[in-house]
Amino acid sequence: MENQQRNFGTWQLTSIMLSSMIGVGILIIPRTATELLHQTGWLGPITSALIASVAVAAIVYLGNQFPGLTFVEYMPRIFGGAIGTLCVFLFILYQFLNAGTTVRLFGEVVVTSVLPQTPLEVIIITLLLLVMFLCCHEIEVVARINELLIPFLLFPSLLIPLVSFMNADWHNLLPFQLESWKNVMKTGFNTYTLYTGYELLMVYFAFAIPGARLGVASMTGMSFALVVYVITVVAGITVFGYEELQRLVWPTLELVKVTQRAGWFLERFESAFLAIWVASVFTTIGNMLYATIFSLRRWFHKGIRFQQITAIVIMVPLFFLTLVPQNIVELFSFTQHLTKVGFLITIIIPILLAITQFIRNQFNKGREVNNEK
Amino acid sequence: MGKSLRCFALLIICTLLLSGCWDRRELEERASVLAIAIDQDEKDENLYKMTVQIPIPIKIAGSSGKGGGNNADAVKIMSVTGRTVTDASNNLQMRLNQRLFLGHTRILAVSEEIARKGIQDIMDSFRREPQIRRLMWPIVVKGKASSLLEIKPRIEPIPVVFLMGLIENGMKLGRIPDQTLGDYFNQTSNLTMEPFLNYVEARKNEVSWKGVAVFRGHKMVGILDDEQSWILLQLRNEKPGGDIVIPLPKTKNGYVSFRPHFVKKKVIIHKSSSATYHCELQGDIVELTEDLKIPPEQFILQMQALIKKEMENRAKKLLQQLQKQYNSDILKLGLILRAKHYQDYWKTHNWKEDFRHFPVRVTYTIKLRRLGMEMQ
C-alpha cells in the first residue's frame, strides 16, 4: 500500500486545500462573524485563521514526518492501537457528517432562492451522484479536478465583494471598539468552520511528490482563504450594516443581488453566481467524501473495487442523513453542534498527534546518542 | 453487445440533456408584474387594496408596427383587496390565467395614508419573498397610490417604464435620491438612522417628483419639498441637486439661477456636543434676468455671498424641520457619531430622542466658476 504513486504537485495541494475550505460557509459568514462582534466582525475570520493555522502547522509537520502515509496509518503508530483506531473512526465519521450538512446547506440555498419549485431531494441526489462518480476514480483525478476548478472559485469569490464596495458606506465599519476579548474568541471558534477542510490534508499530503513543499502549499491556501473571507465580511458590513446582516439568511447571496449597477454587465448576477457556486460546493463535498471513502479503503487494505462499492453504498445513508433536519432552524443548530465536535477532531487531535510525535522523536534521538556512547 | 449499450447510453444522455427543467416557464407564460401599488380599501379599513400593472407583450410588439397607435392599452391594470399583501396577491392569482411573477417588479407605490400609519407589515412580505429584488424603488404617492399606475404618459407605452426613466435620470443628474428597497431595509434595521422614500404626485397624464417622505421607524412623519430634498442630497450623498433660483435683491423682478456641478461635504463634530457641515458647491451662473451694471470681479463676489446666504437659510430650515418637527435623522449624522464618537457620546445618549436637541450648523462655500456663454 505504501508504495502508491505520489504525484501531487505543490499547486495541486494548494488548490485542494483551498477548494475544500471555501464552500457553502462563505454564504453565511458575514452574519455569523458579526453576531457578537458587530461592526468589528472582520476580526472573526482572522482569529479563526490563527486558531486553524496552528492545526495546519501540526498537519504539515505530520505530513513531513510520514511521507506517503495517510492519517489511517500514522494515527495508530503515534497513539497506539486502541486510541489511534478510535481517532481514525472519529475522523471518518466527522467527514461523513460534515459532507452531509454541506450538501444540505447548499440544497437549502438553491431551493429558497433560485429553484423554489424543485424538491430538495432532487438537488441533493444530483450533487451526490456527481460526487459518487468522482469517488469511483483513483486519487489523481481529485487533484486534477481541484486544479481545474480553482479559477472558477477564486475569481467570483474575490470579484463579488470587490464590486460591491461600490455601494459601501465605510462608516459602518467604525467604531473600532472591542467590547470584550471573550467575544472575539467566541466568534473565532464559531467561524472556524469556514476553514474546516484543511484536515483533509492528512489524507492528501500522503500523495505529494517527493520534494513538494507542504508548508508553502498550506500557507498559500490559508492566506488566500483568509483574504477571501475577510473581504467578504467587510463587504457585508459596509454594504448592509451589522444590524441588517442579522436579519439575512444568506447575506453573501443578498450581496450579489444588490451588486448591480447601471451599465455594468453584472445584471441579475445571482443565478450565474450560484451556477459557479455549484462547482465550488462540489469540490468541497467531493474532497470530503473522497477522503472518507479512500481512508476506509486504506483502513481495510482493499483495492479500487472496494472503493467503488463503498462509494455507491455510502451515498444511501448519506442521502437520508441530509434529510434529517426538518427545517432551517434545526439545520443551523445541527451545524453548530457539529462545529463543537469538529473542534476536537480538526484541531485538538492533529495538535496532540504532532506534539506526541515530536516528543517521541526527541526521546528517540536521545536514546540514539546514548547508544553511540 | 457493446454497441447496443453505447446506443442506450446515448439515448439516456440525450433525454437527460435535451429536455428542459420540469418547472420551466416560458416568458410569455408568466404574468410579470412591473409595479405594485398599495392603498387602503375605501370600504373596509382593515383591508389593503393592491393594484398591479402587467404589460401585455403582444400589444407592445404590435404598437411599434402600427406607429404607436393605441399605446394606452399595452398594460393591464388590476385591483384586488386582501387582509395582507400576500392575501391580496393570492386573490389576484385567482383572476389570472398565468402565474404571477414578481421578479421584474421595479416600483412599489404606497399611498401616503398607509405610509403615515406604518408600512412594517407590508414590508415583511417583501423581505421574505426571494423573487423581490432589493434594487426596486419604493415610492410614497400623494393621494391614492393606484393613480400612479393609471397615468397615460404617451411617451412610453408602459407607464411604469416612464416612471423608471424619471427616477433613473433624476438619479444620474443628482436630483432624485436613489432610494431602493434594500436601502430602506438597511436604514430601518440600522440603529443610527431613519429611512426616507421618494415622494411623487400623479395626475391624469403625468407624474412629478415632489421631494422625499421622511420616516421615523416604519411610519411616515412628513415631507420635504424639492428644494429641501436637494439640500439633503448635498449634505448626505454629495449629489448636486437641482438649480437654485434666487430673487435678486434691490431689483423689481430680477432672478439669478445657480447650477451646482460638484459637491464636497465635510462633517466636523466639536467635542461631541455639536456638529458642523461644511459643504462646498462648485457651479455656474446659468441665468441672470436683470443687468446689475457692476464690474465682473465684484459681481462674482456678490453672487457668491448671495448664494451662500440663500443656501445656508435653506439648510437651516431643513434642519429645523428634521429636528424639531419630524425628529428623524435621515442625514446619517448618527452613523458618523457612532463611528467616531462612540465612547464619549454614543454610549451615554439615546440618539433617537437626542437628535432633536443636537446642535447642527451648516456652512456653505460657493465657488462660482463660469457664467455660461455670456461674458457677464
Side-chain angles (χ1 to χ4, degrees):
Chain A
M1 256 326 149
E2 287 176 21
N3 51 12
Q4 189 142 9
Q5 272 199 327
R6 297 164 55 191
N7 46 14
F8 282 26
T10 310
W11 174 244
Q12 281 179 328
L13 286 171
T14 313
S15 47
I16 286 183
M17 183 175 177
L18 248 180
S19 51
S20 323
M21 284 198 288
I22 298 183
V24 83
I26 201 168
L27 293 174
I28 316 170
I29 165 76
R31 176 163 45 89
T32 40
T34 52
E35 206 171 335
L36 295 168
L37 287 182
H38 297 171
Q39 67 279 348
T40 43
W42 47 272
L43 279 174
I46 295 179
T47 324
S48 42
L50 290 178
I51 300 170
S53 46
V54 178
V56 170
I59 290 171
V60 171
Y61 176 73
L62 291 171
N64 282 325
Q65 288 288 311
F66 301 97
L69 291 187
T70 65
F71 73 99
V72 178
E73 287 94 18
Y74 63 64
M75 270 185 186
R77 276 198 203 178
I78 298 172
F79 275 169
I83 303 173
T85 316
L86 181 71
C87 286
V88 172
F89 174 73
L90 278 177
F91 186 84
I92 291 176
L93 187 71
Y94 172 73
Q95 291 308 327
F96 182 69
L97 292 176
N98 208 2
T101 49
T102 314
V103 177
R104 173 66 189 262
L105 275 170
F106 181 73
E108 288 289 342
V109 182
V110 173
V111 167
T112 42
S113 58
V114 209
L115 304 171
Q117 301 295 324
T118 311
L120 184 67
E121 289 86 347
V122 175
I123 293 159
I124 291 176
I125 286 174
T126 28
L127 203 58
L128 286 186
L129 280 179
L130 210 62
V131 172
M132 190 176 87
F133 187 66
L134 172 72
C135 292
C136 290
H137 290 82
E138 278 296 351
I139 202 158
E140 300 96 67
V141 180
V142 179
R144 274 186 236 133
I145 282 190
N146 278 298
E147 199 180 9
L148 189 74
L149 289 178
I150 199 84
F152 295 101
L153 190 155
L154 272 186
F155 184 64
S157 54
L158 281 170
L159 182 80
I160 286 159
L162 287 180
V163 174
S164 63
F165 280 145
M166 280 196 306
N167 31 12
D169 188 330
W170 295 97
H171 280 122
N172 279 323
L173 273 183
L174 291 169
F176 182 71
Q177 185 69 43
L178 282 180
E179 294 295 335
S180 68
W181 284 101
K182 210 174 130 198
N183 278 346
V184 178
M185 286 317 282
K186 256 189 198 164
T187 311
F189 287 129
N190 282 341
T191 54
Y192 102 93
T193 28
L194 287 171
Y195 298 95
T196 49
Y198 63 80
E199 75 278 3
L200 297 178
L201 293 177
M202 293 210 269
V203 179
Y204 295 113
F205 270 164
F207 302 95
I209 45 170
R213 283 168 298 173
L214 307 187
V216 175
S218 50
M219 275 286 287
T220 345
M222 202 71 197
S223 34
F224 263 132
L226 176 68
V227 169
V228 168
Y229 289 142
V230 169
I231 63 170
T232 309
V233 175
V234 169
I237 298 172
T238 52
V239 172
F240 293 119
Y242 74 88
E243 295 102 332
E244 175 76 4
L245 281 178
Q246 300 312 312
R247 305 186 60 174
L248 303 172
V249 188
W250 311 108
T252 311
L253 198 60
E254 299 279 353
L255 203 63
V256 180
K257 279 189 180 179
V258 295
T259 306
Q260 177 243 43
R261 286 274 135 177
W264 265 80
F265 65 101
L266 300 173
E267 200 148 339
R268 283 286 167 140
F269 200 47
E270 70 259 24
S271 331
F273 171 76
L274 276 171
I276 298 166
W277 222 236
V278 176
S280 148
V281 173
F282 164 68
T283 49
T284 311
I285 299 164
N287 290 351
M288 280 179 189
L289 277 180
Y290 196 94
T292 317
I293 292 164
F294 187 78
S295 35
L296 279 175
R297 170 186 165 188
R298 295 277 285 225
W299 207 9
F300 296 115
H301 302 287
K302 293 279 166 62
I304 183 76
R305 179 63 63 181
F306 173 82
Q307 185 181 336
Q308 283 162 352
I309 294 167
T310 323
I312 296 166
V313 171
I314 213 169
M315 291 303 159
V316 181
L318 185 66
F319 171 68
F320 287 106
L321 180 82
T322 56
L323 297 176
V324 167
Q326 289 300 305
N327 48 47
I328 196 141
V329 178
E330 228 173 85
L331 178 64
F332 278 128
S333 76
F334 185 73
T335 45
Q336 254 177 9
H337 290 307
L338 196 67
T339 307
K340 280 172 202 149
V341 180
F343 194 69
L344 170 77
I345 289 150
T346 59
I347 294 196
I348 294 178
I349 290 183
I351 292 174
L352 281 183
L353 278 172
I355 290 173
T356 322
Q357 177 63 20
F358 183 73
I359 292 169
R360 185 166 294 175
N361 275 353
Q362 295 300 324
F363 185 67
N364 284 350
K365 235 185 251 168
R367 206 162 53 184
E368 271 166 32
V369 173
N370 280 342
N371 286 351
E372 273 168 31
K373 273 179 189 173
Chain B
M1 181 57 203
K3 203 178 174 189
S4 65
L5 193 72
R6 228 173 281 168
C7 279
F8 183 67
L10 195 70
L11 191 75
I12 295 276
I13 289 170
C14 282
T15 44
L16 281 178
L17 293 184
L18 295 180
S19 61
C21 304
W22 68 77
D23 58 345
R24 137 204 85 94
R25 291 191 86 78
E26 299 296 336
L27 207 59
E28 58 267 29
E29 287 173 12
R30 280 173 161 163
S32 293
V33 175
L34 272 188
I36 303 173
I38 293 166
D39 282 301
Q40 201 154 55
D41 193 43
E42 289 96 345
K43 289 165 203 148
D44 191 343
E45 244 193 31
N46 296 322
L47 290 185
Y48 288 120
K49 189 175 124 207
M50 183 167 113
T51 311
V52 295
Q53 194 176 83
I54 301 166
I56 307 165
I58 293 173
K59 288 275 172 66
I60 302 164
S63 69
S64 64
K66 284 179 221 156
N70 48 351
N71 272 346
D73 305 328
V75 292
K76 175 140 180 73
I77 293 167
M78 300 174 92
S79 289
V80 278
T81 55
R83 283 161 296 165
T84 64
V85 175
T86 316
D87 190 29
S89 62
N90 286 340
N91 291 341
L92 181 66
Q93 184 64 68
M94 287 189 249
R95 291 169 51 195
L96 279 169
N97 58 337
Q98 306 291 5
R99 189 186 300 167
L100 212 57
F101 181 66
L102 298 178
H104 292 304
T105 311
R106 298 298 300 273
I107 304 272
L108 167 66
V110 183
S111 74
E112 190 177 334
E113 194 188 0
I114 286 197
R116 284 196 188 267
K117 280 188 180 164
I119 51 176
Q120 182 158 22
D121 35 342
I122 293 178
M123 286 304 180
D124 186 72
S125 79
F126 288 97
R127 238 177 198 292
R128 288 176 200 270
E129 172 63 56
Q131 283 179 0
I132 291 288
R133 340 169 76 176
R134 289 175 82 93
L135 291 172
M136 89 188 203
W137 288 303
I139 292 172
V140 178
V141 186
K142 188 176 180 180
K144 279 174 71 180
S146 58
S147 64
L148 191 69
L149 307 191
E150 283 155 8
I151 52 160
K152 297 193 172 88
R154 297 206 182 143
I155 303 172
E156 296 276 356
I158 305 167
V160 172
V161 175
F162 177 81
L163 190 60
M164 274 156 52
L166 184 95
I167 299 176
E168 213 164 283
N169 281 316
M171 220 173 75
K172 279 182 195 157
L173 287 169
R175 291 174 179 217
I176 296 180
D178 177 19
Q179 189 67 11
T180 61
L181 188 68
D183 292 329
Y184 179 83
F185 290 161
N186 291 352
Q187 288 157 9
T188 43
S189 48
N190 201 314
L191 301 169
T192 61
M193 56 177 105
E194 302 287 351
F196 67 95
L197 294 177
N198 279 310
Y199 183 72
V200 300
E201 187 183 355
R203 286 208 207 90
K204 199 166 183 234
N205 280 333
E206 55 168 40
V207 50
S208 60
W209 179 75
K210 287 284 176 193
V212 299
V214 183
F215 280 70
R216 186 170 156 79
H218 287 274
K219 275 190 185 138
M220 176 176 162
V221 287
I223 304 155
L224 297 180
D225 64 12
D226 47 354
E227 284 182 357
Q228 284 175 326
S229 308
W230 288 335
I231 303 278
L232 178 75
L233 271 172
Q234 289 165 1
L235 298 182
R236 187 181 186 275
N237 298 359
E238 295 194 313
K239 291 277 163 61
D243 297 350
I244 299 143
V245 183
I246 310 166
L248 281 169
K250 290 176 215 151
T251 56
K252 240 190 206 161
N253 211 2
Y255 286 97
V256 60
S257 303
F258 172 71
R259 177 169 296 165
H261 285 301
F262 302 101
V263 188
K264 259 191 256 167
K265 71 129 200 233
K266 210 168 148 190
V267 190
I268 295 169
I269 291 161
H270 313 279
K271 293 177 189 154
S272 352
S273 60
S274 74
T276 309
Y277 277 82
H278 290 290
C279 189
E280 185 192 292
L281 291 186
Q282 288 185 33
D284 309 344
I285 294 278
V286 289
E287 186 183 47
L288 183 71
T289 57
E290 196 146 325
D291 194 359
L292 292 175
K293 296 194 182 69
I294 41 174
E297 291 84 8
Q298 219 179 333
F299 172 75
I300 296 272
L301 288 179
Q302 250 183 38
M303 283 304 120
Q304 283 183 350
L306 182 71
I307 299 162
K308 177 181 158 80
K309 203 177 148 202
E310 171 74 17
M311 294 309 284
E312 280 173 3
N313 273 339
R314 287 186 186 180
K316 206 171 169 181
K317 218 177 108 196
L318 169 79
L319 282 163
Q320 188 80 15
Q321 260 187 321
L322 284 184
Q323 291 188 301
K324 298 290 179 295
Q325 209 177 331
Y326 304 144
N327 191 14
S328 161
D329 173 27
I330 58 176
L331 278 169
K332 291 212 272 192
L333 185 61
L335 187 66
I336 298 169
L337 264 175
R338 183 176 72 177
K340 298 191 171 152
H341 295 266
Y342 185 79
Q343 286 293 2
D344 48 346
Y345 185 85
W346 190 260
K347 270 180 113 174
T348 50
H349 289 74
N350 174 14
W351 183 243
K352 295 261 177 219
E353 287 310 316
D354 289 356
F355 171 65
R356 186 194 290 270
H357 307 297
F358 197 81
V360 184
R361 273 182 58 227
V362 183
T363 59
Y364 268 89
T365 313
I366 309 291
K367 290 192 172 162
L368 200 51
R369 299 292 192 201
R370 268 153 230 105
L371 307 173
M373 305 300 273
E374 173 100 14
M375 208 28 231
Q376 170 149 10

